[in-house]
Every structure is written in C-alpha cells, then in structure tokens.
C-alpha cells in the first residue's frame, strides 16, 4: 500500500525522547551509562583555550629583539598576574630601569627573539554541557558527550528564539485564544516557563525578562514585535544563540494565531512540571525545530511507539504552512491519487482539508505539515 508523507511537527503526549549532549571540542565525560541525571546536571566539560595577547617587550624595554630573553623575569609556561613585572632592564647603577608588565592574568606561551614579542594566553574558558532533561544516560561518546533518554511529553514549535532553558510550567491564560497582557506577568513568575494563548508581544516579553521569566510559549508573534525584540531584521531563520534573557517558542506561526487546542490542553495537563525548552530554529537544510520537553516518571511499562512522523491518512491533523490559509488547522478528508493542475500549470498531488471552522479546501500536499498526535 502506498503512503503519503509531508513535513510534520510532533505534538506527543508520551514518547521516548533521546537527546545527544555534545561538547564543541574534546573534553571529559563525567557520567557513565546507566546514570540517572537531572536536567541541571553537568554531564561533560572541557576547557576552551583562552584568548591570546601579544606584548611587544622589545619596544617597552627599548632593546633589540634578540636581547629580550636575557631580560625576561618569566619563562614560557610560567603563570603571571595582571600588572606583574615580566621583564626588566638592569638600568644604570640599578636605576632608570625599563619594565614590562603583564596586561592580563594568564600564562607565558612563548618568547620571540625575532619579533621581540611575548605571547600571553588568558586562562582557559570552562565549557559545560548539562543533561537538559531528567533521564538516564544510555550511551557515552568518549571525550565528546552522552546520549540522555527520557519518557515524557514532546512538542515541537514552528519558530523560536533563545537557547536552552529550564523551569516550572505555568499556564497563565484561560484559553488558547486569549492574548497575554504584560501586567499579567508578576514577580512570582520568576524562573517559570509561561504558556499564553494566541499572541505574544514585545511588551509581554520585556516584562517577562524584567521579572526573570525563563521562557514563554505562545501561539504566534508579529514580525514587527520580533524585529523590535531582536533589534534587527531576521533574514535566514537560524536562531538559538540570542542572549535575550528569555527563550520564546511559537507553536503556530506569525500573527495573532490561537494555539492549537490539543497543544494548549496538553500543556495545561502538564502545569507545574519541570519543563525544558529550546528556541533554536533552522528552516533550511538540516531543519531544527524549537521544542518543549516535559519528562515524567511512569511506574508502568514505557510503550513502544511506532514512528509515523509525516504520514498522511484520512483524519490526520495538519497545519497549512503557505498562504492563503497560512496557520489554519484542520484534518485530511481526501487524498486523491491522481495529479491535479494548479493555476501555475504545474501538476502536483493534492489533498482535501476540513478546517476547524468547517470550511473545506483542496491544497497541494507541499502546503501542509502533519501534526503528530499520540
């Protein structure tokens, strides 16, 4: 039997989630296979080499380069403190000495009798990788990182900004169609991840930052608000490295779009639970979706869930990702086998969708993405 597939977003009540936690350079793995970890636990660490600074000692001492070594008070490999004297001339009768001081705390890396320069390296920068979610280490990658496995709720968004963060989930609006107001964010929301309904604005995000909110999950955001928040026009949608003080996950799209009923209900059911979110988004090759991970412990057996991401069938919930119905949700009612000609004269496979308001439309299959339900 033939199947139809389309790009899809996961909205899953319970699924086994695997996260690779990898260092950017070789380092040390701190946990073993079978270790149960918390999201806050450091599972691997490394030292990023510190920045290099050049000090022209020959000029400071008014000496030719080939004479600086005999006037150095420190050797390669020695540690130095900021403003410490690292080279000095003998002067005249012990007076009128010229001296060179270290501009940083660090280590003498090398001394050149050709250029007269001393290379100093700042202290290494520690890099730590945390588990990101509560779970169990199922694999270690020597010198690089680990694989953490957990079971819980997993939801992918359509767009986000900001990196990984962690907090208690709080649903702050009554319905997925409500718009959160800035004044609804209170001091007690510090370190929380807030779920609001349809639209999140710059005022709301700024007030969230002011009150120490870790993240906001919303149905939509306006282009103008996003531009104001970032301070620049977002071109190629590769995000996640922004240092905004908050992480944003948009589940539906741009504009005032109500959060999908199922997504909102699922988040409402998980209120109060420890939640990890990541706003990193990449919409070109190697697609990366913003995500919401809510692990939970089950005494029962973890179900073996068959992966059917993107599989289209009658009744499959979908979201339209192109105009004129961009952002609308519905279910597949027909999947014609034959190609149909569009206004552009192109012949493509289509499907019929019935939207939540009862309206039906025939669309190219490339214009929708499946919403996975479990």
């Amino acid at each position: 039997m033939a199947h139809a597939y389309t790009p899809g977003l996961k909205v899953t009540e319970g699924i086994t989630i695997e996260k690779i936690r990898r260092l950017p350079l070789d380092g040390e793995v701190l946990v073993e296979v079978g270790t149960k970890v918390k999201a806050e636990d450091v599972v691997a660490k490394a030292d990023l080499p510190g920045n290099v600074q050049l000090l022209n000692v020959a000029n400071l001492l008014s000496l030719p380069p080939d004479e600086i070594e005999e006037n150095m008070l420190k050797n390669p490999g020695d540690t130095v403190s900021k403003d410490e004297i690292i080279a000095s001339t003998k002067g005249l009768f012990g007076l009128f000495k010229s001296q060179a001081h270290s501009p940083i705390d660090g280590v003498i890396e090398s001394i050149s009798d050709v250029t007269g320069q001393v290379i100093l390296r700042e202290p290494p920068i520690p890099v730590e990788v945390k588990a990101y979610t509560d779970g169990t280490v199922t694999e270690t990658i020597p010198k690089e990182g680990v694989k953490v496995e957990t079971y819980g709720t997993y939801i992918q968004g359509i767009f986000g900004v900001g990196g990984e963060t962690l907090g208690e989930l709080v649903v702050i609006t009554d319905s997925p169609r409500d718009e959160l107001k800035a004044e609804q964010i209170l001091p007690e929301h510090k370190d929380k991840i807030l779920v609001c309904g349809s639209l999140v604005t710059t005022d709301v995000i700024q007030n969230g930052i002011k009150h120490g909110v870790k993240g906001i999950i919303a149905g939509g955001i306006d282009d103008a608000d996003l531009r104001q928040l970032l301070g620049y026009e977002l071109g190629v949608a590769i995000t996640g490295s922004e240092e905004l003080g908050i992480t944003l996950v948009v589940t539906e799209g741009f504009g005032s779009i109500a959060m999908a009923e199922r997504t909102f209900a699922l988040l409402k059911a998980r209120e109060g639970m420890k939640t990890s979110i990541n706003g990193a988004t990449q919409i070109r090759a190697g697609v990366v979706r913003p995500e919401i991970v809510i692990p939970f412990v089950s005494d029962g057996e973890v179900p073996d869930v068959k992966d059917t991401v993107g599989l289209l069938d009658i009744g499959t919930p979908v979201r339209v990702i192109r105009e004129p119905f961009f952002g609308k949700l519905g279910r597949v009612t027909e999947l014609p086998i034959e190609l149909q000609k569009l206004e552009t004269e192109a012949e493509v496979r289509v499907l019929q969708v019935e939207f939540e308001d009862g309206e039906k439309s025939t669309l190219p299959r490339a214009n929708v993405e499946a919403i996975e339900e479990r």
Side-chain angles (χ1 to χ4, degrees):
M1 177 180 175
H3 295 285
Y5 286 86
T6 190
L9 295 181
K10 285 184 178 179
V11 180
T12 59
E13 182 177 358
I15 187 175
T16 299
I17 305 161
E18 293 182 341
K19 305 302 295 184
I20 301 292
R21 312 299 295 156
R22 196 186 298 270
L23 289 163
L25 72 167
D26 285 355
E28 179 185 2
V29 177
L30 305 177
V31 293
E32 299 176 348
V33 172
T35 304
K36 293 190 180 300
V37 293
K38 298 292 185 182
E40 307 91 331
D41 292 346
V42 177
V43 295
K45 67 177 183 178
D47 287 327
L48 191 66
N51 295 325
V52 166
Q53 289 205 27
L54 301 179
L55 186 67
N56 196 321
V57 174
N59 281 355
L60 292 173
L61 301 185
S62 300
L63 293 174
D66 58 359
E67 292 184 15
I68 69 166
E69 284 199 58
E70 61 189 72
N71 290 279
M72 290 293 299
L73 304 179
K74 294 284 186 177
N75 298 312
D78 289 349
T79 58
V80 295
S81 301
K82 185 176 181 180
D83 297 326
E84 182 180 356
I85 299 171
I86 61 172
S88 175
T89 59
K90 297 179 176 58
L92 183 62
F93 304 114
L95 302 174
F96 309 110
K97 293 181 179 180
S98 296
Q99 297 175 331
H101 298 259
S102 172
I104 60 168
D105 293 329
V107 175
I108 302 286
E109 190 154 286
S110 66
I111 301 168
S112 173
D113 59 5
V114 176
T115 64
Q117 303 217 74
V118 172
I119 298 178
L120 300 102
R121 187 175 292 276
E122 295 176 357
I125 303 166
V127 177
E128 295 180 338
V129 172
K130 296 184 178 180
Y132 177 62
T133 182
D134 293 1
T136 303
V137 176
T138 58
E139 181 183 336
T140 59
I141 307 166
K143 298 184 179 181
E144 292 187 37
V146 301
K147 180 188 289 184
V148 177
E149 183 177 296
T150 191
Y151 185 81
T153 295
Y154 184 72
I155 298 171
Q156 289 181 316
I158 200 165
F159 179 78
V161 291
E164 298 174 355
T165 193
L166 173 74
E168 180 185 330
L169 193 68
V170 176
V171 180
I172 201 170
T173 56
D174 294 328
S175 85
R177 292 168 294 281
D178 292 342
E179 182 179 330
L180 183 65
K181 305 298 181 185
E183 57 269 20
Q184 291 178 261
I185 299 181
L186 305 173
E188 53 261 39
H189 292 135
K190 177 179 171 62
D191 295 330
K192 301 292 194 290
I193 293 175
L194 305 183
V195 179
C196 58
S198 59
L199 181 71
V200 63
T201 63
T202 304
D203 289 344
V204 169
I205 297 170
Q206 295 292 0
N207 206 37
I209 295 171
K210 175 183 174 183
H211 285 95
V213 172
K214 289 292 189 69
I216 294 178
I217 303 168
I221 186 172
D222 280 337
D223 287 344
D225 284 319
L226 182 62
R227 186 166 53 251
Q228 184 179 349
L229 176 67
L230 297 176
Y232 57 87
E233 186 78 46
L234 188 66
V236 178
I238 300 177
T239 70
S241 60
E242 301 81 10
E243 296 183 1
L244 303 174
I246 198 168
T247 295
L248 174 67
V249 174
V250 174
T251 63
E252 312 306 322
F254 290 94
S256 183
I257 307 175
M259 186 180 293
E261 292 276 0
R262 172 176 167 77
T263 302
F264 187 83
L266 197 49
L267 292 171
K268 183 70 175 175
R270 300 289 179 261
E271 187 168 14
M273 296 181 69
K274 182 194 285 189
T275 301
S276 301
I277 65 173
N278 186 358
T281 307
Q282 181 172 312
I283 61 173
R284 291 180 180 264
V287 172
V288 175
R289 297 285 195 182
E291 63 181 12
I292 305 163
V293 179
I294 312 173
F296 58 91
V297 178
S298 173
D299 294 331
E301 187 176 330
V302 175
D304 181 16
V305 183
K306 185 180 179 181
D307 189 4
T308 57
V309 179
L311 177 62
L312 287 177
D313 204 346
I314 303 300
T316 299
V318 294
R319 176 190 288 109
V320 183
I321 57 175
R322 292 185 175 87
E323 295 293 353
F325 300 107
F326 178 78
K328 294 192 72 172
L329 303 175
R331 290 186 179 271
V332 177
T333 56
E334 291 184 26
L335 283 168
I337 297 176
E338 62 276 4
L339 299 176
Q340 293 195 21
K341 185 176 291 187
L342 302 178
E343 293 180 2
T344 59
E345 300 298 321
E347 292 188 347
V348 299
R349 296 199 183 278
V350 299
L351 50 73
Q352 186 180 83
V353 176
E354 182 176 351
F355 297 116
E356 293 179 330
D357 59 6
E359 181 184 359
K360 292 185 178 181
S361 182
T362 299
L363 304 170
R365 294 182 186 179
N367 286 14
V368 304
E369 60 184 2
I371 301 174
E372 182 184 0
E373 294 185 326
R374 290 183 183 144

